[in-house]
């Protein structure tokens, strides 16, 4: 298995940017995630600027848009939302009890996942492929995914300003209970589609590891959210009716709960 030398620059960029997690443990998988993807998008534009086509340039630009939007949203929430930070103190480990070695293992694992996630676009560039129907279709799905996720975050923010103690069941939250996670999966599905016809052999293995890795993380996140909401709203009859009628993550798929699946820990 021979890797293009530039793949190591992608890994290095993910390692460098996600190292922000040493400041605050959760940043490995939040700010470090979003800004790593944005940084990789910028790196790919710089590395392959001379051979970019319209489609590949758009895919790289969508990495930047996606990462900056997600990272910016999470940073704003960290800085501005006192209620969110207060709640998360009891829900998420602060990492103070973790050894340096454990933190390093999490850091490297996260950075490798972020690098794997972008491999379909990376290999389209590294293999010298230009713009074709697969690239265009993938870019459109990526754009739809980032718009879907953004809309879900905005809708939830607006509702929480009106009634902070109310669970969100309006707009996109009538389709699935975690539409922001669905939007994220759509985005990465688009990334996979964009390189589906140019991946060869073991390149498929790397791309699928990245894709199913982030899908696992989204289901894990949905489980954590479900457990928190059950704790907060479990006695509310309206919430009980909501969770029994709206799928948790996949539209039109009658999967209403993942709380019992303890293997979904990330």
């Amino acid at each position: 298995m021979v890797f293009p030398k530039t793949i190591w620059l992608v890994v290095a960029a993910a390692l460098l940017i996600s190292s922000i997690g040493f400041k605050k443990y959760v940043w490995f998988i939040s700010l470090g995630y979003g800004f790593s993807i944005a940084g990789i998008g910028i790196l790919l534009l710089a590395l392959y600027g001379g051979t970019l086509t319209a489609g590949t340039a758009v895919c790289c630009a969508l990495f930047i848009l996606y990462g900056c939007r997600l990272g910016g949203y999470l940073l704003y929430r960290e800085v501005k939302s006192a209620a969110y930070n207060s709640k998360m103190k009891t829900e998420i480990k602060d990492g103070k009890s973790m050894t340096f070695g454990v933190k390093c293992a999490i850091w490297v694992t996260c950075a490798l996942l972020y690098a794997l996630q972008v491999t379909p676009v990376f290999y389209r560039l590294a293999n010298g492929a230009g713009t074709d129907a697969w690239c265009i279709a993938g870019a459109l799905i990526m754009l739809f995914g980032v718009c879907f996720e953004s809309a879900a975050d905005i809708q939830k923010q607006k509702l929480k300003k009106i009634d902070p103690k109310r669970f969100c069941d309006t707009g996109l939250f009538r389709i699935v209970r975690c539409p922001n996670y669905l939007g994220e999966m759509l985005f990465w599905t688009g990334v996979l589609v964009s390189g589906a016809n140019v991946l060869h052999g073991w390149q498929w293995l790397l791309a699928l590891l990245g894709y199913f890795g982030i899908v696992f993380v989204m289901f894990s996140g949905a489980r954590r959210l479900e457990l928190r909401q059950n704790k907060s709203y479990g006695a509310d009859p309206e919430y009980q009716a909501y969770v029994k009628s709206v799928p948790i993550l996949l539209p039109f798929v009658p999967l209403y709960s993942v709380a019992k699946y303890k293997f979904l820990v990330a």
Side-chain angles (χ1 to χ4, degrees), residues 69-114:
R69 189 217 71 86
L70 178 60
Y73 170 76
L74 295 174
L75 181 61
Y76 176 83
R77 192 170 65 179
E78 283 272 343
V79 173
K80 294 293 185 179
S81 181
Y84 173 81
N85 288 326
S86 177
K87 185 175 182 179
M88 287 302 101
K89 284 181 180 179
T90 62
E91 301 289 345
I92 297 178
K93 296 178 181 178
D94 59 15
K96 291 181 180 179
S97 62
M98 288 183 180
T99 65
F100 180 71
V102 171
K103 287 183 179 179
C104 285
I106 294 170
W107 169 48
V108 171
T109 301
C110 288
L112 288 176
L113 175 60
Y114 306 154

Side-chain angles (χ1 to χ4, degrees), residues 27-98:
W27 289 354
F28 281 129
I29 55 175
S30 59
L31 300 182
Y33 172 42
F35 291 129
S36 288
I37 300 303
I40 291 171
I42 295 170
L43 177 64
L44 292 178
L45 288 176
L47 289 174
Y48 295 99
T51 58
L52 286 170
T53 61
T56 53
V58 167
C59 287
C60 293
L62 284 170
F63 282 148
I64 300 170
L65 172 64
Y66 168 85
C68 287
R69 189 217 71 86
L70 178 60
Y73 170 76
L74 295 174
L75 181 61
Y76 176 83
R77 192 170 65 179
E78 283 272 343
V79 173
K80 294 293 185 179
S81 181
Y84 173 81
N85 288 326
S86 177
K87 185 175 182 179
M88 287 302 101
K89 284 181 180 179
T90 62
E91 301 289 345
I92 297 178
K93 296 178 181 178
D94 59 15
K96 291 181 180 179
S97 62
M98 288 183 180

Side-chain angles (χ1 to χ4, degrees), residues 109-123:
T109 301
C110 288
L112 288 176
L113 175 60
Y114 306 154
L116 287 171
Q117 287 174 234
V118 305
T119 50
V121 172
F122 170 80
Y123 278 115

